[in-house]
């Protein structure tokens, strides 16, 4: 039996000024704590799910990205990065690549019996317009799913599950900003997967598990968020362990744990019913009309 694949994950660091419920001034110290955790636990790799900074302007953001990259240098390698919307508000992907010293296109990493998928879909918010899920991003994901010969652990900044944002400080009244307008197409592509799949995202600043078509979608609390742990930052990071079990453990002031049998995540659910009034078996008027004819 092979050893489990172990991945340390941090999300939404938001280095910068304190803003709304984000305690950005605590970011550098909390990143140092995360680096110490990784050094002690020795996972196979670590992943930063994006929003390393709270954006201000192009010039200020370059400084903030350099500062947080310096702090992340203490995290033992390999360390992979994904851009969040705040990293992309004023900076291009190329500028983020220059600071991080790492290519930031879509990427897969085979490790143990798993394929780690870094789905670095466009995370810039258009104003007006919001997120845009490009055809290139969707087609790349479709290709990964179609060619999968082993379980997939997919990482992104923005979640695609479409889960409820009820009670979320940022997105309860702004649900359109919590995901991509084209997320349903991405979920439809996942239905074609014949292997186990788990999806992990940041962005929404809370811990959740949502299962769609048998696929668990996990979101990770922000490192510096306070709305669930006020007045202190959550100090959240996670360890994902993958073998016969998907084991998800979130540390910090907002702990969260999930344990699932990996094989279960390969099951796909039956396609949902159409609206009741379009299905004769669930449409009372249609049944009555049928009986009248008979």
């Amino acid at each position: 039996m092979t050893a489990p694949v172990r991945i340390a994950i941090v999300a939404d660091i938001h280095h910068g000024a304190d803003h709304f419920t984000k305690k950005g001034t605590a970011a550098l110290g909390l990143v140092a704590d995360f680096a110490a955790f990784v050094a002690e636990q020795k996972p196979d790799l670590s992943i930063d799910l994006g929003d390393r900074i709270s954006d201000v302007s192009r010039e200020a953001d370059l400084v903030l990205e350099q500062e947080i990259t310096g702090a992340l240098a203490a995290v033992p390698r390999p360390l992979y990065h994904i851009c969040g919307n705040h990293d992309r508000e004023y900076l291009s992907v190329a500028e983020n690549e220059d600071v991080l010293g790492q290519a930031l296109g879509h990427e897969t990493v085979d490790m143990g019996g798993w394929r780690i998928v870094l789905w670095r879909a466009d995370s810039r918010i258009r104003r007006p317009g919001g997120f845009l899920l490009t055809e290139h991003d969707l087609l790349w994901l479709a290709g990964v799913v179609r060619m999968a010969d082993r379980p997939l652990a997919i990482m992104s900044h923005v979640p695609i599950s479409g889960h409820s944002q009820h009670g979320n400080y940022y997105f309860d009244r702004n649900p359109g900003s919590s995901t991509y307008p084209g997320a349903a197409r991405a979920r439809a592509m996942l239905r074609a997967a014949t292997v186990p799949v788990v999806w992990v995202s940041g962005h929404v600043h809370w811990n959740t598990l949502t299962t769609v078509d048998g696929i668990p979608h996990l979101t990770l609390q922000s490192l510096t968020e306070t709305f669930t742990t006020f007045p202190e930052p959550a100090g959240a990071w996670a360890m994902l362990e993958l073998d016969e079990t998907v084991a998800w453990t979130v540390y910090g002031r907002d702990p969260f744990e999930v344990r699932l049998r990996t094989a279960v995540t390969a099951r796909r659910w039956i396609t949902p019913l159409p609206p009741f009034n379009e299905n004769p078996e669930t449409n009372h008027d249609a049944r009555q009309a049928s009986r009248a004819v008979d």
Side-chain angles (χ1 to χ4, degrees), residues 18-34:
D18 296 347
H19 190 59
F20 291 107
T21 59
K22 298 185 288 284
K23 195 155 187 171
T25 54
L28 295 179
L30 291 171
V31 167
D33 294 341
F34 175 66

Side-chain angles (χ1 to χ4, degrees), residues 203-249:
H203 182 60
V204 290
H205 289 215
W206 61 0
N207 296 314
T208 66
L209 166 65
T210 305
T211 306
V212 184
D213 291 324
I215 296 170
H217 294 253
L218 296 157
T219 64
L220 173 60
Q221 175 61 285
S222 158
L223 185 68
T224 57
E225 182 56 67
T226 69
F227 92 82
T228 62
T229 57
F230 189 82
E232 299 301 322
W237 56 73
M239 183 71 78
L240 178 64
E241 297 182 80
L242 303 167
D243 56 4
E244 288 83 5
T245 300
V246 173
W248 174 252
T249 305

Side-chain angles (χ1 to χ4, degrees), residues 134-149:
T134 72
E135 200 67 14
H136 166 74
D137 293 331
L138 285 166
L139 291 175
W140 187 88
L141 178 63
V144 167
V145 171
R146 183 174 61 251
M147 300 299 292
D149 58 0

Side-chain angles (χ1 to χ4, degrees), residues 139-200:
L139 291 175
W140 187 88
L141 178 63
V144 167
V145 171
R146 183 174 61 251
M147 300 299 292
D149 58 0
R150 65 192 66 199
L152 302 175
I154 307 175
M155 310 288 159
S156 68
H157 178 67
V158 180
I160 67 160
S161 63
H163 64 288
S164 171
Q165 298 299 316
H166 182 67
N168 186 290
Y169 177 80
Y170 288 96
F171 300 113
D172 186 312
R173 294 174 177 83
N174 303 284
S177 296
S178 69
T179 189
Y180 292 105
R185 285 187 66 199
R187 293 194 299 271
M189 290 171 178
L190 289 186
R191 283 186 61 86
T194 59
V195 298
V197 179
V198 58
W199 191 297
V200 179

